[in-house]
Structure formats: C-alpha cells, structure tokens
C-alpha cells in the first residue's frame, strides 16, 4: 500500500509510518476505549500492548468479543516468515498472542511460512528456511504457550493439510485482485503470486476440523493485513466466517527506522544474541538525546524518536507511571542517555538470559508443539 | 499457442490442427525414419503409434535412446487432468506408454492433476475431481502396467512430496514467462498461474529420489508441451536434466473436430460406456462418406476426414496392410459407411468388454499402484 511518505506491504516497510493514516488506507478500525473497556471487563485488566495502543487497529474485534461473551470460543492464528533468527520485534505480537491464549483459553495455530520466504528471498534455500523455522519455533515455545492448545507447523511439512484449502482460496483470487493488493508486477515469480492462498488456509482450518464455523482472531503486525484482506474477501464465498484481526505497530529499529530488519543485524536484538552483543547494540542505538550532556540538561531530549525509550515503552517497562516518568525526565533534561541505555540493557540482558534458558529447554519440547502431515 | 487456423494450449484445442505447423510453432522435432530405425533396433519392432506417426513430434528423444544404449535407465512420466471419465482419446497415449514401459523396462510416474482441474473448471469441486481421479486410475491400471514399476498419485494426496520441488520451479518462473507460455490474463486465478510448477515436479522426482540425475521421458499429447517447456527451461537452473518428450496427435472426435472432449459426451466413447451406447455413438459418427450408397459407389469416400477410419487407424486396426486396404476400398467406393461402422463397433465393443472386466478387477488393485504422502 504505497503512499507519499511510507510503504507498508507484507514484504516491505519503508519510510516513517503514519499509523493513523494506515488505518484509513487499509480501511481498518482503531482500537478505541470501548474495546479497552470490554477487555477489562472480560479479562480483569488491559494489557500493556492495548493500553499503549501498540496493538492499535482491528477488524471485527468486537464481533470476536461478542462471540466469546455468547460462549463461543475463538481460535487464534498467527505466524512468522522464517527468513532469519528471531528478534525482539517478532516476539512482541507473540507475547500479546500468549496473553490472548491465557486470558481467553484460545487454541493457537502458528504458521511458519517457509515456502513464502524461500520464494521471496533469492539467496535462501529450502534447507535454510526450514532451519530458521525450527529456530524460530524455539522462541515461540520459550514464551510459554500451552502445548495442549498450540500447534506450530511449517507450510512445507503441513502442506497435505493446507493445500486443499489453499486451492479453494486460489480459485477465487484473480491475478488482478492479487496485483491490486500486493503490487505484483510481471517479474514476480508465480509462487509469490499464489502464496497468499497458503497464508489464508489456517484461518479456515479450525472450521474444517470442527465441522462448523469457528471464529478466528489473527494478531499480527499491520503489514500482514493485505494477506488477510484476501482471506476475508474469499471467506464468505467458501462458507466461512471472515477472520477478525488485531494489528500491531512495528517494533522500532535500534537505528531509528520503522521496522527492525533481520537482514540488518545491528538494527535488532536477536533472541540468540549474547549479553555483550545486546549491550553493545543498545550502547550504539539511536536516541533522542542531545549532542552533549550539558545540552541534554538544558534543553531536554526527544523521547518520541528515541529507540531506547521505545524499547521500554513497547516491552520493557510494564509500569505505566514509570514509563511516563522516563519520558518526562528525558523531556526536562533530568535524565541522560547513558542512564537509559544502562537501565534498558540490564532489563534486556535479564530477559535474554531467561529466554535463552527457556529456549534451550524448548529443544526437548518441540515435538509437543509441532504438527506435520506425516 | 494461437495461430490463424487453430489454437493448442493445455486447456483449449480448437480449429483444424496442422501438426506440421505445430512442430514449427512449438519448436519441437519430428519423429523421423532415423528414430523409427532406432526403435526397431532396440525393441525388435516399430509400434503402430510410431509407424503411423500418431506420436509425431519429440524433444531430445535421441538423447533418451542414447542413454538407454549406454545402459542408463530412463523413467517415464505422464498423467491426466481428471475432469471427467476416461475416453478412448485419453487411453491412446497410455497404451503407448505401456509399450514403452514393457519395451524399455521403465518405471512410470503417473500424475493425476486434481488440483489443476479443480482450479480450471468452475463447476468442479475438490470432491468431484478426486472422484474422477480414482475413476481414471482404474483405466490406467486396466491397461496392464506393471505394479512394481508404476506409481499413480493425485497431486492433493502427494503434495507433501511434490510441493518442495514445485516451489523450486515456481521461484524460477516469472509471471511474464508463464503468461507468454500459457496466455494468462488478469482474470486468471492465481492457482492456475502457479499450477505449472506442480506439473513440473514429477519430472525431477526420480532424480531427487535416486540422488543422481535420471533421464526422464514424457509421452503426452502435444497440448501439454507448454508445461514441459517451462520444466525444461528451469531444469538446468535446478541442476537436473531436461526431460525428453514424445508428443501425440489428438484422438479424433466422433463428430469430426480435432480433439475428443469429455464435456461433450457424444463426441467420445468413454471406457464406462455400455456396448449399446458405444454402438449408437459410432452409428451417429461423422464419416467421409457420400450422401447415398450409390454416390459412394460411384465417387468413393474421403477416409482422411472420416472419424470411423481414424478410429481404426489410431487404435483398432493393428494390421498396416488392412488399414491401407480400408482406405483404398473407401476411396474407390468399394466400401460403404455402414460396413465400416459395423466392423469398428464390433472391435470397440470387444475392447470395451475386455477393458471393463479388467477395470472391475483394478478396483481391488488400486493400492498396488497408488502412492500418497500419508
């Protein structure tokens, strides 16, 4: 979906993303106070990522909550394109997905689109994307999803199950429709052109398995919305509910762009980074600070462009009052970048050490989560 | 591949096909006397379908025979788009394939493209194309293929095996390349656009399974050549041999067009037709005869446009001398249409009765031939 200032597609995010404009461009709905109130009523609290509007946009989310209130369980569906190691930006929506699973007792289908990443990324082999898939699955498992309620699969290992559903989607999507949504041109390979049907398939699988229509909620970053617009277009033609969506912003890059990129290691902290590496990346991060400590004291910093502040805001400072104070202290010059970096680095390292321990344990638990055709 | 007088694509054959021109348009090679001589030398005789140039065109067939002479076994690959019951036009290349299996001891991979027919034909459901697939498989088995050397599969049941290979193909085929070969437009569904990669996959499977390059020969009607041009284009990029091809003409329609069509039952004799039905269709067939018996006696008929004569020539008159005599007797007026129809009907009915018996037996032998992912 190109605009003058930024580009957001499933394969490209560039420029400074205006999330309000994206809601208009994509035709989604904002997460409003009414929805926050419903979450509070249903789950007892409003999680950080909703309070702070990190998940900021939705489609049919009120309907999902209506279903739940009427006693109808919904199923969660999310995924990952396994083009590299997992970084904190990938974890963010999964952390929120875990909250949804815990709070609503929802089953989760987690798709690893190894086929897509193979098709999309020239240098990646099937062997490499499969390796990244299992690597990424460890991070999903390490977050503590319920093995009784979670299935993780690679497209190439679950294709016998997914392909007949993908065919039903493919038959209903013309080239011109796909081109309009994704911006394909004549040099796009034919696999990429039809891939979206594989990303639609898991949205219908719960209904097929249950033999009745099952509501599905897809938490994902907003760049995946184009795929699910296709899914929602074909759903009624196939006799299924349209899946609901809840969209997150992009996790900030340490160098200050709008989305972390696994292909630029310095912009991201990976779950496999060792503590020294993480500290070094944070020390080198782009901040909203002034050129000198003196200027910072006199003029204050700009937390809203600061990646260190955003890390705290998105993931590492649970306490709203404390998050607010951090911002104020920066704005007034009471706080220097070094302090923020040190505090964040300590938290990130503590998180990584804990996560990496659980990630190691996950290696023995893969088979509790992975499903395959055979 | 459009031309002024006729159209031949995998999904459409229209007009009066000029097979010589098709060789030029498609860039294939004719089956010449040198090749016939090699078949005679290697197998002891030249089968009807080569002698009569019903298989008339090829790509790299001499290379396949070179490999065989050098002691390297080739594998056969053919298939069927299961959009309806099997008619005699479908059987024709399979009869030739059976000869190749018997004469060269070749393994056969037989693909039923249920995915393609579902995607292509609006009214067909997945359930219907799967039903036709198993129905068609009975006809393949009834022809007497060696179960030790033959595997038959539906794409949707073997997709776990085929999909990773299809992805390797898809990645190397752009929309513009596919459009140039198949004539897609913007209203084509995205499944049809990428489908050709599934039809390429079995051409590489023997090499993947063997862990070394295996020569593959594809006997098929000439309308399938566009798919295998794609296969041959990508083969060297994937590190495999290009599959060789041997192309047949189209089996004549009883109403005198160029290809039998399963969607027009009166144009075709189906393997499931009962004897009365077959006799009726033959009685109503388009012939090269004159309006009256008297005119026929005086002026003679036109066997080259006669579907009855063509049935004999393609399948039902093995004896070349007798086939020549039939033609001469028609040309000179010594033979009336009624006689030809009666003789052909007797042969067709005898064939159908035998085939239907074997087809019944094949129901108990399906599992000796079918392979599935799981």
């Amino acid at each position: 979906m190109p605009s003058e200032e930024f580009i957001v597609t499933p394969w490209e995010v560039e420029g400074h993303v205006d999330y309000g404009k994206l809601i208009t461009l994509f035709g989604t709905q904002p997460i409003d106070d009414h929805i926050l109130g419903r979450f509070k009523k249903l789950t007892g609290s409003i999680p950080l990522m909703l309070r702070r509007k990190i998940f900021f946009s939705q489609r049919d989310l009120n309907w999902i909550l209506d279903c739940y209130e009427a006693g109808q369980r919904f199923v969660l569906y999310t995924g990952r394109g396994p083009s590299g190691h997992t970084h904190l930006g990938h974890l963010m929506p999964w952390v929120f997905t875990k909250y949804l699973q815990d709070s609503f007792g929802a089953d989760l289908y987690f798709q690893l689109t190894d086929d897509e990443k193979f098709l999309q990324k020239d240098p990646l082999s099937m062997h490499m994307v499969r390796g990244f898939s299992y690597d990424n699955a460890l991070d999903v498992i390490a977050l503590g999803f319920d093995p009784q309620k979670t299935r993780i699969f690679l497209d190439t290992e679950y294709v016998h199950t997914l392909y007949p559903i993908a065919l039903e989607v493919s038959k209903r999507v013309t080239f011109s429709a796909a081109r309009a949504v994704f911006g394909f041109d004549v040099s796009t390979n034919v696999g990429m052109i039809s891939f979206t049907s594989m990303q639609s398939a898991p949205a219908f699988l719960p209904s097929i398995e249950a033999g009745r229509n099952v509501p599905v909620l897809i938490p994902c970053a907003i760049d995946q919305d184009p795929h699910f617009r296709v899914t929602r277009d074909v759903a009624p033609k196939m006799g299924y509910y349209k899946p609901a969506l809840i969209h997150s912003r992009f996790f900030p890059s340490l160098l200050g762009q709008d989305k972390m990129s696994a292909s630029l290691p310095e912009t991201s902290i990976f779950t496999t980074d060792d503590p020294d590496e993480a500290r070094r990346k944070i020390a080198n991060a782009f901040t909203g600070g002034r050129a000198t400590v003196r200027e910072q004291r006199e003029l204050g910093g700009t937390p809203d462009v600061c990646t260190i502040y955003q890390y705290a805001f998105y993931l590492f400072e649970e306490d709203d009052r404390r998050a607010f104070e951090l911002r104020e202290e920066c704005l007034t010059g009471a706080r220097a970048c070094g302090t923020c970096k040190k505090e964040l680095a300590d938290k990130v390292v503590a998180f990584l050490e804990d996560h990496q321990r659980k990630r190691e344990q996950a290696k023995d638990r893969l088979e509790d989560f992975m499903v395959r055709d055979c």
Side-chain angles (χ1 to χ4, degrees), chain A residues 270-287:
Chain A
F270 291 89
T271 61
T272 47
D273 283 352
D274 67 37
D276 288 348
E277 213 167 347
R279 283 187 193 280
R280 182 178 52 74
K281 288 181 181 178
I282 291 170
N284 294 334
F286 175 81
T287 73

Side-chain angles (χ1 to χ4, degrees), chain A residues 184-341:
Chain A
F184 296 139
D185 60 40
V186 295
S187 71
T188 306
N189 73 55
V190 295
M192 284 298 286
I193 290 171
S194 65
F195 165 73
T196 193
S197 64
M198 285 292 284
Q199 191 152 329
S200 283
F204 304 127
L205 189 53
S207 296
I208 291 167
E209 288 176 337
R212 60 182 164 72
N213 248 325
V214 173
V216 169
L217 173 61
I218 303 174
C220 61
I222 187 76
D223 60 336
Q224 296 301 304
D225 185 71
H227 281 301
F228 300 118
R229 286 206 292 276
V230 172
T231 315
R232 286 168 55 87
D233 275 353
V234 299
K237 298 173 197 163
M238 290 170 62
Y240 301 120
Y241 292 148
K242 294 181 178 191
L245 289 153
I246 180 163
H247 305 107
S248 77
R249 294 164 191 255
F250 306 117
F251 197 66
S253 152
L254 284 173
L255 300 184
Q257 299 99 346
D258 263 306
K259 190 186 175 190
M260 292 177 105
S261 167
S263 52
L264 296 170
E266 288 306 303
T267 66
S268 318
I269 291 169
F270 291 89
T271 61
T272 47
D273 283 352
D274 67 37
D276 288 348
E277 213 167 347
R279 283 187 193 280
R280 182 178 52 74
K281 288 181 181 178
I282 291 170
N284 294 334
F286 175 81
T287 73
R290 299 284 170 177
T292 65
V293 176
R294 186 188 171 143
E295 274 185 68
Q296 173 84 2
R297 276 212 205 94
E298 285 172 9
L299 302 166
T302 318
D304 293 338
V305 302
C306 174
T307 60
I308 302 295
Y309 174 70
Q310 285 177 72
Y311 262 59
F313 185 82
Y314 274 67
L315 269 180
F316 289 100
E317 183 47 71
E318 270 281 347
D319 184 329
D320 286 346
R321 201 170 46 92
R322 189 70 201 118
F324 179 77
E325 284 170 5
L326 284 180
R327 189 166 182 283
E328 290 300 303
E329 289 169 16
C330 175
L331 283 167
T332 59
R335 183 168 259 277
C337 292
T339 315
C340 273
K341 284 179 171 175

